[in-house]
Amino acid sequence: MSKIKLLTTGGTIAMSHDASTGKVDRPTNDVLSGWLNGEIEVVSEDVCNKSSPQMTLTELNALLRAVRDSLANPEIDGVVVTHGTDTLEETAYFLDLQLPWGKPVIVTGAMKASNDAGTDGPVNLMSAVYAAASGNARSRGVLVVMQDQIHAARYVTKTHTSSLLAFQSPESGPIGWVRNGKAEFRYSMEPAASYEDAAVLSLGSVFLVKAVLDMGADWLEFALSKGAEGIVLEAFGQGNVPPSLLPGIERAIAAGIPVVLVSRCIGGEPQGTYAYEGGGAMLTELGVVFARGLNGPKARLKLAVLLASKKNAAEIKAAFE
Ligand SMILES: NC(=O)C[C@H](N)C(=O)O
């Protein structure tokens, strides 16, 4: 019999709808207990009970520790984490960056509260447990299971505010499915570097600045004035920013603050194509690092992990490119 550790953190999957207020705001973890029996034993532990917008680095590090402890237990075959969906992709990727590849680690959540008609919590949880107990889910990095689809933490993102199919991987699609109680994979995952010694002590020091039309220099200046240790730019299209940001970018790089660029587009990768003022070619020359295959929030987490691992500028560049 497989033994799976279920680590709960809260989120809608652990909430019920209050008919008197019409709001979903009273987390209980009741929905998570006692319904899965048979070939898989599930032992659960509450790490916290928060809506995912309320998650902080404190909870992320507590969760990372709990997952590591579970993986180190020879009796445990895999781990499932339940989480609110709003920041699920960030937590899943934070774990992915710092866990060794081996036993399956699956993150899941729910778009509907536990007592909503057609709630997706039980089926998502059941599929996640099946995936965690599937030997072929080993060594694929942290996975996100929603609606029987298996996504890589690296690529998955929440694309819709309410649809049960909110979680998509725009570049790769799902890498597998849970069918008949087993994980099946269409793609293997290239092993990614794992920063197991990172010990991230701050996320607030890495700023994410989104490029918007006719923005002022002050957005970036604000980050620099607040002691930013790293900057992620969510740039236009193939990797271009308004010229107003150029002085701040130059100043950051001169001061040894890494500036990493991702695209605001949900698909494709940024490249140094355009040579006009603020274009990607110019940014490359300035020393901006172009990140491959990550969105802004995930690039921010990766930069925080790299800085916590004391990587130098060349190592940071290599890690993103
Ligand atoms: N569906 C959800 O879980 C959304 C909720 N606001 C959360 O992220 O905690």
Side-chain angles (χ1 to χ4, degrees):
M1 190 197 288
S2 306
K3 193 167 180 177
I4 300 303
K5 185 70 174 271
L6 172 62
L7 297 170
T8 70
T9 68
T12 298
I13 192 167
M15 295 181 191
S16 44
H17 226 117
D18 184 336
S20 61
T21 64
K23 290 183 179 152
V24 180
D25 62 2
R26 295 175 309 160
T28 74
N29 278 323
D30 295 352
V31 69
L32 306 173
S33 56
W35 57 269
L36 192 91
N37 298 308
E39 290 169 8
I40 306 173
E41 186 190 353
V42 179
V43 285
S44 72
E45 179 187 330
D46 293 350
V47 175
C48 61
N49 197 349
K50 297 214 160 195
S51 296
S52 73
Q54 299 167 347
M55 295 291 273
T56 68
L57 181 62
T58 305
E59 286 79 29
L60 292 196
N61 276 333
L63 178 62
L64 179 63
R65 265 195 308 278
V67 176
R68 279 189 174 139
D69 290 349
S70 305
L71 295 175
N73 181 345
E75 287 181 9
I76 298 294
D77 298 294
V79 174
V80 170
V81 174
T82 56
H83 198 283
T85 57
D86 290 346
T87 63
L88 187 151
E89 68 198 70
E90 284 171 75
T91 297
Y93 188 59
F94 183 81
L95 297 176
D96 192 45
L97 285 165
Q98 294 171 87
L99 289 173
W101 280 36
K103 292 179 187 176
V105 177
I106 315 290
V107 185
T108 193
M111 295 301 291
K112 288 180 181 247
S114 62
N115 60 346
D116 280 346
T119 185
D120 52 335
V123 70
N124 286 344
L125 182 52
M126 187 159 60
S127 295
V129 168
Y130 285 143
S134 300
N136 63 351
R138 290 177 66 96
S139 294
R140 293 179 191 270
V142 173
L143 301 171
V144 171
V145 169
M146 299 286 284
Q147 293 293 299
D148 286 347
Q149 296 185 338
I150 306 175
H151 295 270
R154 228 185 286 174
Y155 300 130
V156 75
T157 191
K158 184 174 179 178
T159 64
H160 197 280
T161 54
S162 56
S163 165
L164 299 187
L165 276 171
F167 282 80
Q168 304 286 332
S169 300
E171 276 293 276
S172 66
I175 62 166
W177 283 264
V178 179
R179 285 199 189 109
N180 302 320
K182 292 261 172 293
E184 291 174 17
F185 288 90
R186 180 196 273 181
Y187 305 115
S188 56
M189 287 292 293
E190 258 178 59
S194 176
Y195 305 97
E196 290 177 51
D197 303 325
V200 181
L201 299 177
S202 161
L203 290 176
S205 55
V206 182
F207 284 70
L208 173 59
V209 178
K210 186 166 190 152
V212 289
L213 184 149
D214 195 19
M215 73 195 292
D218 43 350
W219 295 35
L220 196 48
E221 297 300 336
F222 174 78
L224 295 173
S225 74
K226 291 289 171 192
E229 289 169 21
I231 307 269
V232 175
L233 295 173
E234 213 175 285
F236 302 121
Q238 292 198 5
N240 315 304
V241 299
S244 58
L245 295 189
L246 290 173
I249 293 171
E250 281 181 276
R251 217 146 43 78
I253 291 173
I257 299 165
V259 179
V260 173
L261 181 145
V262 299
S263 176
R264 339 190 283 194
C265 298
I266 60 164
E269 292 188 343
Q271 339 178 4
T273 306
Y274 292 100
Y276 55 72
E277 208 191 356
M282 182 183 246
L283 299 177
T284 312
E285 271 169 32
L286 290 180
V288 173
V289 173
F290 281 46
R292 298 189 56 205
L294 293 176
N295 64 22
K298 289 187 198 173
R300 171 179 174 258
L301 290 173
K302 183 165 182 170
L303 185 50
V305 167
L306 291 166
L307 289 168
S309 303
K310 307 268 180 278
K311 300 292 181 208
N312 63 31
E315 290 167 326
I316 289 174
K317 186 170 156 67
F320 277 108
E321 293 180 354

